[in-house]
Amino acid sequence: RGQAEALPEGDAKVRALEEAVRLTDAHGDVPLGYELRDSLIDAATFGGYPDKALVAFAWCRGQQKKDPQRFDPEDMLWKQKWVVGRLDEFPHISRKQIADALDDVDQSFAKLDAGKRAALKLRYQMARDMGDTEDAERLWEAWLVAPRDHLTDCRVCELDDELDHHVDKGEWEQAIQKAKPILDGRQSCAEIPHLTLGTLLYPFFKLERMKEARDCHMRGYAMVAKNREFLATVGEHLEFLALTGNLSRGLTLLEKHLGWALEHSSYRDRFSFYTAASFLVGQVVAD
């Protein structure tokens, strides 16, 4: 476990923790298996293996329900947000299962009289991802006015999530203005500005602010180039290169990251990447 935690986010770290889990399970050590899966959820979430995070969390959640005194559910509420927030990326998971998981979040958070804002954001993002526009608008409004508490995502993560809403609606100026603290380097987080710089490529392009768009590309791509967790963001960079006629660089990036897409478990992220790749190849053929 110690060796795994010293590794950077990615495949090697996930594999090391999976092997540790396998050995621990072979010896029937449930408490250690729980601890290792706790670490595996982190590594898989931030290393581009959401399916492995889901499996590990489901095992831990089962232990919590069997013995809540020994395995306190409160210790894993943050990870519950991460895992449930990605359930719609897997087509084998039904809407009923997603709804049940969201209800479980509500109930888990309510026991602490907290987490309303975080739960609303999860529901908003799920409705947005699944195309439930009316529900998404209603939940968006409710999320933004709900009070913050210790289960609320950090302010910069929430700010980045707000940008997606404005980009969806074609509110390019508003998205860029709202992102200014991130662009200026005054606010950052584990995956911010990595995600933000990809999100803003299209708004800058639409507003013909090409110098700023190129800066987002050069800064942003370097941040995501080595971690498959950012497959969809790499797709945003491919789209930008196709839109601006940088086809040779686009093909180079496509070749470099195609392996990620072929193996990635997130169907949503794969779709985002393949859509951008298809557009790029179409531009190459038409050139």
Side-chain angles (χ1 to χ4, degrees), residues 42-253:
D42 287 354
T45 296
F46 294 104
Y49 292 87
D51 55 331
K52 297 180 186 294
L54 172 58
V55 171
F57 177 80
W59 187 93
C60 291
R61 191 74 179 106
Q63 296 300 322
Q64 290 170 358
K65 290 180 177 179
K66 282 193 288 187
D67 191 352
Q69 297 300 317
R70 191 178 195 183
F71 304 107
D72 187 354
E74 185 176 350
D75 293 339
M76 211 172 275
L77 293 181
W78 276 88
K79 294 177 176 61
Q80 187 172 3
K81 289 193 304 181
W82 299 342
V83 170
V84 172
R86 302 194 67 166
L87 291 180
D88 64 335
E89 299 178 29
F90 306 103
H92 65 279
I93 297 178
S94 69
R95 278 180 173 257
K96 174 66 166 56
Q97 289 172 306
I98 293 172
D100 289 345
L102 289 168
D103 289 343
D104 189 32
V105 169
D106 286 339
Q107 292 159 16
S108 298
F109 288 6
K111 290 177 182 176
L112 300 177
D113 193 26
K116 182 178 179 182
R117 184 180 177 97
L120 281 168
K121 190 178 93 164
L122 275 179
R123 289 187 178 276
Y124 153 68
Q125 290 180 318
M126 202 67 71
R128 172 182 175 265
D129 287 350
M130 294 194 294
D132 298 335
T133 307
E134 189 173 325
D135 271 353
E137 286 292 332
R138 175 181 58 80
L139 290 163
W140 158 266
E141 298 290 347
W143 163 43
L144 292 184
V145 299
R148 298 180 60 83
D149 57 49
H150 69 283
L151 290 173
T152 304
D153 289 340
C154 79
R155 292 185 182 277
V156 67
C157 284
E158 287 205 326
L159 175 58
D160 180 77
D161 290 325
E162 288 180 37
L163 302 183
D164 293 328
H165 179 85
H166 297 301
V167 172
D168 286 349
K169 298 172 77 71
E171 297 169 351
W172 319 125
E173 289 280 8
Q174 192 167 348
I176 291 168
Q177 186 61 34
K178 188 170 280 191
K180 200 169 189 313
I182 298 174
L183 291 174
D184 293 346
R186 288 182 279 127
Q187 295 185 5
S188 63
C189 193
E191 295 187 338
I192 311 297
H194 313 49
L195 298 173
T196 311
L197 294 170
T199 299
L200 295 178
L201 287 168
Y202 193 66
F204 275 129
F205 171 79
K206 290 294 288 183
L207 295 172
E208 299 183 357
R209 294 166 60 172
M210 298 311 298
K211 182 179 183 303
E212 291 154 298
R214 284 192 294 272
D215 181 59
C216 279
H217 169 61
M218 298 307 294
R219 287 173 58 203
Y221 176 69
M223 291 180 170
V224 302
K226 295 181 180 180
N227 188 343
R228 54 182 273 154
E229 167 63 10
F230 298 108
L231 177 64
T233 300
V234 171
E236 292 173 328
H237 287 276
L238 285 184
E239 178 190 53
F240 172 72
L241 292 171
L243 287 168
T244 54
N246 291 286
L247 305 182
S248 178
R249 177 169 169 79
L251 288 173
T252 298
L253 267 59

